[in-house]
Amino acid sequence: MSYKIVVDSCCELPEEYKKDARFEIVPLGLEVGDYQVMDDETFNQKEFLEKVAAYPGCPKSSCPSPERYREAYHCEAQDVFVVTLSSKLSGSHNSAVLGKNLYHEKYGDKNIYICDSESASCGETHIALKAMELEEAGLSFEEIVKELDAFRDAMHTYFVLDNLETLRKNGRLTGVKALVASTLSIKPVMGAIGGSIVQKGQAIGIKKALTKLADILAKEVVKSEEKVLMITHCNCPERAELIKSMILDKVRVKDALVMDTAGISSMYANDGGIIVTI
């Protein structure tokens, strides 16, 4: 195996890659009051969402240690590509960088590239699968790093959530203008710019917000026919299929992929949340 792709557990890998030796998922921790669990193959979304709904406080996450990342890099592969949550949302990226330093101190030289996705969830998936595609195409490590940076910079991330409380309480909405009271059923359409969350628009009700998301995507995304549409949902597959059809009514894409959220994405998206990247 000439290369390895390491992702943190906010990255939703398609099922066929979860046991693929070319990939390794480094889990974050989840905490809802006294309830603590790792975001790995043992994660139970239904149980987690029930705990969140019953807990008056705010769920929290803990990033992997630098040592955990260091050991993920310790393998036969000479090229290692690492994709993390936006550094503006989590300490996972910083731990990955420290882990690289620790690796070099303990084990010596190796090509390790750590990509700040400036996104989350399927945004990370996009970059991880692009790294695999470029490696399989035979590009050099340096060429892949350059291509991944450009790919990341051209990627668009959008999301509509039923509940913004976890993001708000964890201080992740600091750059967003004051949001309207949820009792008015006004749902903001959010996006990411440089890894920070921004508000792109709003609508009354979730369906109109999804329509607005599709409209914004159609206006902002160029050469969509060359791109893959990825959608992750938190416990709402019908809603994911709805936004998929809304988007495909407006733009042509190379492929479309729908996935359910793992632990970290479930914590931030909350029950009913939709994340779209292209």
Side-chain angles (χ1 to χ4, degrees):
M1 185 175 68
S2 62
Y3 70 94
K4 181 178 183 180
I5 298 168
V6 177
V7 297
D8 65 32
S9 62
C10 191
C11 175
E12 272 77 41
L13 286 179
E15 286 299 323
E16 62 264 33
Y17 296 120
K18 288 181 179 177
K19 301 296 182 183
D20 190 313
R22 294 172 294 182
F23 291 87
E24 181 173 346
I25 302 172
V26 176
L28 282 81
L30 294 162
E31 181 180 316
V32 187
D34 294 333
Y35 175 81
Q36 296 181 348
V37 65
M38 294 302 294
D39 185 13
D40 55 20
E41 65 277 359
T42 66
F43 175 73
N44 184 315
Q45 187 192 66
K46 181 176 182 293
E47 180 179 77
F48 177 76
L49 292 176
E50 288 173 350
K51 295 286 187 183
V52 171
Y55 182 58
C58 184
K60 297 181 180 179
S61 64
S62 57
C63 64
S65 69
E67 290 78 13
R68 177 64 181 82
Y69 272 114
R70 178 192 65 195
E71 294 312 306
Y73 309 154
H74 185 44
C75 58
E76 294 181 1
Q78 185 54 35
D79 293 349
V80 177
F81 300 94
V82 190
V83 186
T84 71
L85 257 163
S86 168
S87 59
K88 294 181 180 177
L89 297 177
S90 168
S92 181
H93 180 264
N94 188 53
S95 278
V97 172
L98 292 174
K100 176 182 175 179
N101 297 336
L102 293 176
Y103 178 90
H104 290 316
E105 289 173 8
K106 185 171 183 177
Y107 299 115
D109 290 338
K110 176 178 283 195
N111 292 329
I112 302 173
Y113 169 63
I114 300 166
C115 180
D116 179 348
S117 72
E118 297 185 358
S119 183
S121 189
C122 47
E124 293 181 61
T125 311
H126 256 300
I127 297 168
L129 296 187
K130 187 66 175 180
M132 178 183 70
E133 175 190 317
L134 295 170
E135 268 282 359
E136 296 296 334
L139 274 70
S140 69
F141 178 79
E142 292 76 16
E143 289 171 327
I144 294 173
V145 169
K146 185 177 178 181
E147 289 286 330
L148 283 182
D149 280 347
F151 181 82
R152 185 267 319 278
D153 292 345
M155 185 175 68
H156 296 261
T157 300
Y158 308 96
F159 57 98
V160 171
L161 309 183
D162 260 342
N163 185 338
L164 288 164
E165 282 303 287
T166 300
L167 282 173
R168 185 182 66 79
K169 289 179 178 178
N170 277 305
R172 303 301 191 260
L173 295 178
T174 52
V176 177
K177 60 187 177 184
L179 298 168
V180 200
S182 57
T183 52
L184 298 178
S185 297
I186 294 181
K187 304 294 182 184
V189 179
M190 316 295 283
I193 295 180
S196 295
I197 295 172
V198 297
Q199 186 172 343
K200 294 273 188 176
Q202 62 186 40
I204 298 176
I206 195 78
K207 188 170 182 180
K208 288 183 178 178
L210 294 176
T211 301
K212 174 76 76 172
L213 187 160
D215 289 341
I216 294 170
L217 183 152
K219 290 176 183 176
E220 293 186 346
V221 176
V222 297
K223 297 183 179 179
S224 63
E225 67 278 2
E226 301 174 5
K227 301 176 185 290
V228 175
L229 171 69
M230 291 191 189
I231 300 167
T232 44
H233 66 88
C234 183
N235 193 37
C236 56
E238 298 85 1
R239 189 172 287 174
E241 290 299 327
L242 175 62
I243 187 60
K244 176 183 171 182
S245 65
M246 285 177 171
I247 292 170
L248 295 184
D249 280 345
K250 295 178 179 294
V251 299
R252 289 173 51 234
V253 298
K254 184 166 67 174
D255 198 7
L257 180 65
V258 175
M259 298 169 289
D260 199 356
T261 53
I264 295 297
S265 300
S266 295
M267 185 187 85
Y268 282 121
N270 268 308
D271 205 354
I274 291 286
I275 306 160
V276 176
T277 56
I278 185 170

